Amino acid sequence: MSKELTQQDHSNAWIIQTWAAFIISVSAMGIGILNLPVDNWTKGFMGMGLAFTVGSTISLSKTTRDIHESKRIYSRLDEARIERLLAEHDGVMR
């Protein structure tokens, strides 16, 4: 009755694709900011915005992952409690 949860590993191709997409997007945005026809203060402001956006995106994805993993753990604990109660109940009924 117990289900075994297996950890899903990412393939090397997926890891390379995600890193490549991240590096390309941040590089392209950085190059775009550097080539803007504005003064350096404005470029600096845009660069800070890019840095904070990347940082907050990483924090959001880690938080979302942690919430998902904690729900899986609570679900497994609830299943274990229910199985124990059912086992005790079956033992009393026999």
Side-chain angles (χ1 to χ4, degrees), residues 7-8 41 43 46 70 75 77 88-89:
Q7 182 177 357
Q8 294 179 343
W41 285 101
K43 290 179 185 181
M46 297 294 285
S70 70
S75 175
L77 288 173
E88 289 174 359
H89 186 292

Side-chain angles (χ1 to χ4, degrees), residues 26-75:
V26 171
S27 298
M29 190 68 182
I31 291 168
I33 289 171
L34 289 175
N35 289 320
L36 282 173
V38 293
D39 61 350
N40 287 333
W41 285 101
T42 306
K43 290 179 185 181
F45 180 77
M46 297 294 285
M48 284 179 17
L50 174 62
F52 282 113
T53 300
V54 169
S56 63
T57 302
I58 291 169
S59 295
L60 177 63
S61 66
K62 288 174 70 175
T63 302
T64 303
R65 180 203 59 205
D66 292 345
I67 290 169
H68 175 73
E69 286 180 353
S70 70
K71 285 181 182 178
R72 273 191 1 194
I73 291 171
Y74 285 130
S75 175

